[in-house]
């Protein structure tokens, strides 16, 4: 009885797991929309751009004033502080000049409200640092754009892989049915003494091989579906099926300009190099003096938040760090090295991008030629299989010849859909590399 209950419970769990696996059709446009909306890498890149924008906003301190308000209170019997507090409160009388009171004053309370303003006037290094922050922010925005383009391409490729996986399963399912039918028919021939045992064993081996290939294809299909869901940041329990079949994409957008200068990632590298150059110039400008204005408006009273006495201070300061232990010389050399490094990285990246585009163009041309050949090979294999199948049913073909022909046809069909995928991928990749 316990065994029956355990079996029933296990069956319920398996059934529940099967129901939990949601299966749905999905279009390429829907995939791309969901990826742009929810993909984690895109969101991270967007936040990096927001951080750079905030850094650029903070750099506005180089020309905007710094305003602060403070209110402090204290009580004291310190001779100097007590006399100064009375002066600030404007309550000094003749009696306060009594030497005994000057040396040993009574307890006094003082409350001060101070509004301070600091205004940068000339900070040349700060201007260059702000310029560097702006270039960094623009570079991050361009990187964000390129990240969205790359994830869009990756999602498109994942969708095509899912299409290919479904085609592989469909082809091998059909091959599995054919192999099982041939196995049954071969068994009948063997039982009738029309063929040898080796032929019957060969049919069994073929059926087993196709079944193993089908099982592997189904695993690949699930992997492709899971990856597509990952890119969309979707529920991992959902299985996806493409609405569109795997077909060669139209050729109308095949020809594209080979210009890369307007591509977002190239522009981002240029902006990053400009940021390093601006930082280098900022380091050189630290050798120049700085001019800043300052001012304060002050309210004093013996009561909290009192306004009995007031005063103000305004002025300007010119500061010049003549020598800081060779620190600035080292910082300047470091800035120069980083600027030179950024320029070399830009040149290398541009050269590598041109090489990738040229390779993608050759890849597309090869895939297009291969697609035509694969179509002809599939047509020829299908025709040959049809002829040999009919002849085998009439007893005019050997079992080995039929199985070899069937194997070749399945291989050609799988190769055809693989070639279609490669062609579509080559076109999508070239489009991604020339995206402006």
């Amino acid at each position: 009885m316990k065994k029956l209950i355990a079996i029933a419970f296990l069956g319920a769990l398996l059934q529940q797991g099967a129901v939990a696996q949601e299966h749905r059709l999905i279009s390429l446009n829907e995939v791309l929309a969901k990826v742009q909306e929810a993909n984690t890498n895109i969101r991270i890149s967007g936040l990096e751009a927001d951080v750079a924008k905030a850094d650029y906003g903070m750099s506005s301190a180089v020309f905007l004033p710094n305003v602060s308000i403070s209110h402090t209170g204290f009580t004291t019997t310190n001779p100097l502080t007590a006399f100064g507090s009375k002066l600030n409160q404007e309550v000094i009388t003749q009696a306060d000049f009594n030497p005994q009171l000057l040396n040993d004053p009574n307890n006094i309370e003082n409350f001060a409200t101070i509004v301070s303003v600091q205004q940068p006037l000339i900070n040349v290094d700060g201007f260059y640092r702000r310029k560097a922050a702006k270039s960094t922010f623009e570079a991050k925005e361009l990187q964000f754009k390129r990240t969205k383009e790359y994830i869009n391409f990756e999602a498109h490729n994942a969708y095509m892989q899912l299409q290919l996986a479904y085609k592989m399963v469909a082809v091998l399912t059909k091959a599995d049915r054919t192999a099982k039918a041939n196995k049954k028919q071969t068994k009948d021939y063997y039982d009738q003494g029309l063929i040898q045992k080796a032929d019957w064993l060969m049919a069994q081996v073929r059926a087993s091989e196709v079944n193993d290939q089908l099982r592997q294809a189904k695993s690949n299909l699930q992997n492709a579906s899971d990856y597509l869901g990952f890119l969309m940041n979707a529920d991992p329990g959902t299985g996806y099926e493409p609405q569109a079949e795997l077909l060669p994409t139209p050729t109308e957008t095949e020809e594209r300009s080979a210009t890369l200068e307007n591509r977002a990632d190239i522009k981002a590298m240029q902006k990053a190099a400009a940021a390093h150059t601006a930082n280098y110039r900022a380091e050189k400008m630290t050798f120049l003096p700085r001019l800043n204005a300052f001012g304060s408006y002050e309210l004093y009273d013996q009561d909290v938040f009192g306004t009995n006495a007031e005063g103000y201070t305004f002025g300007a300061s010119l500061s010049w760090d003549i020598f800081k232990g060779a620190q600035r010389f080292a910082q300047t050399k470091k800035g120069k090295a980083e600027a030179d490094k950024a320029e070399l990285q830009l040149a290398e990246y541009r050269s590598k991008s041109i090489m990738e585009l040229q390779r993608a163009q050759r890849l597309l041309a090869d895939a297009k030629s291969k697609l035509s050949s694969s179509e002809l090979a599939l047509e020829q294999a299908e025709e040959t299989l049809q002829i040999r199948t009919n002849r085998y049913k009439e007893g005019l073909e050997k079992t080995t010849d039929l199985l070899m022909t069937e194997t070749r046809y399945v291989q050609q069909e799988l190769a055809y859909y693989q070639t279609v995928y490669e062609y579509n991928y080559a076109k999508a990749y070239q489009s991604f590399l020339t995206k402006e």
Side-chain angles (χ1 to χ4, degrees), residues 119-367:
Q119 174 63 58
L121 296 179
I122 301 177
N123 294 306
V124 182
D125 61 318
F127 295 141
Y128 278 106
R129 296 196 191 282
R130 175 172 171 78
K131 185 177 180 180
K134 181 180 180 181
S135 295
T136 301
F137 162 54
E138 292 172 344
K140 289 295 183 181
E141 280 196 322
L142 290 166
Q143 288 175 0
F144 177 43
K145 177 184 177 183
R146 190 58 175 172
T147 298
K148 291 193 292 184
E149 292 171 353
Y150 172 74
I151 297 299
N152 189 78
F153 162 71
E154 187 70 10
H156 190 180
N157 183 36
Y159 191 82
M160 291 188 297
Q161 288 178 340
L162 186 63
Q163 289 176 316
L164 176 62
Y166 267 95
K167 276 297 183 183
M168 294 295 184
V169 169
V171 170
L172 290 171
T173 299
K174 182 175 62 175
D176 185 58
R177 288 196 299 266
T178 302
K180 289 177 179 178
N182 288 339
K183 176 183 174 182
K184 182 179 181 303
Q185 188 173 25
T186 303
K187 180 64 166 60
D188 293 339
Y189 288 166
Y190 175 68
D191 292 341
Q192 297 171 20
L194 299 177
I195 61 174
Q196 297 179 354
K197 186 177 181 179
D199 294 332
W200 156 234
L201 292 176
M202 184 179 295
Q204 292 184 72
V205 171
R206 172 59 184 165
S208 178
E209 289 177 347
V210 172
N211 185 261
D212 290 340
Q213 290 176 342
L214 178 58
R215 185 182 298 109
Q216 182 64 46
K218 289 181 178 179
S219 296
N220 293 337
L221 188 153
Q222 188 60 52
N223 293 338
S225 177
D226 291 345
Y227 183 60
L228 191 66
F230 167 76
L231 289 176
M232 295 187 292
N233 199 22
D235 182 3
T238 303
Y240 298 97
E241 180 179 351
Q243 286 185 349
E245 290 189 6
L246 181 63
L247 298 172
T249 55
T251 59
E252 53 201 34
T253 60
E254 185 171 320
E255 294 299 328
R256 283 182 171 269
S257 172
T259 302
L260 301 178
E261 293 304 314
N262 292 327
R263 214 170 71 181
D265 55 337
I266 300 293
K267 287 184 175 181
M269 293 288 290
Q270 292 172 341
K271 291 293 184 180
H276 283 291
T277 300
N279 278 325
Y280 165 57
R281 291 176 178 172
E283 294 297 341
K284 292 198 298 184
M285 293 300 107
T286 58
F287 290 92
L288 298 178
R290 298 180 178 182
L291 179 63
N292 299 293
F294 62 89
S296 65
Y297 177 68
E298 306 159 1
L299 297 171
Y300 296 96
D301 204 292
Q302 62 182 356
D303 298 320
V304 177
F305 297 113
T307 60
N308 182 59
E310 62 179 1
Y312 66 84
T313 303
F314 293 102
S317 66
L318 181 67
S319 60
W320 194 353
D321 294 330
I322 302 298
F323 185 72
K324 295 183 67 175
Q327 178 182 352
R328 286 180 302 176
F329 294 101
Q331 285 292 117
T332 301
K333 290 181 179 180
K334 178 182 177 182
K336 179 65 165 60
E338 289 180 342
D340 292 342
K341 175 184 174 182
E343 289 292 338
L344 290 174
Q345 288 176 331
L346 172 59
E348 181 189 32
Y349 191 80
R350 184 186 288 112
S351 177
K352 183 179 179 181
S353 298
I354 294 174
M355 179 188 68
E356 287 180 348
L357 179 57
Q358 292 173 344
R359 182 170 58 185
Q361 291 170 337
R362 290 190 292 268
L363 179 67
L364 179 56
D366 294 341

Side-chain angles (χ1 to χ4, degrees), residues 363-383:
L363 179 67
L364 179 56
D366 294 341
K368 185 176 181 180
S369 176
K370 186 178 177 181
L371 181 61
S372 300
S373 301
S374 184
E375 289 175 347
L376 291 175
L378 177 60
E379 183 179 355
Q380 187 272 336
E382 184 178 13
E383 182 68 21

Side-chain angles (χ1 to χ4, degrees), residues 1-22:
M1 185 65 181
K2 292 183 178 179
K3 290 183 177 180
L4 291 176
I5 294 175
I7 293 173
F9 180 69
L10 180 60
L13 288 178
L14 292 175
Q15 184 177 6
Q16 182 179 3
V19 173
Q21 176 69 28
E22 181 185 353

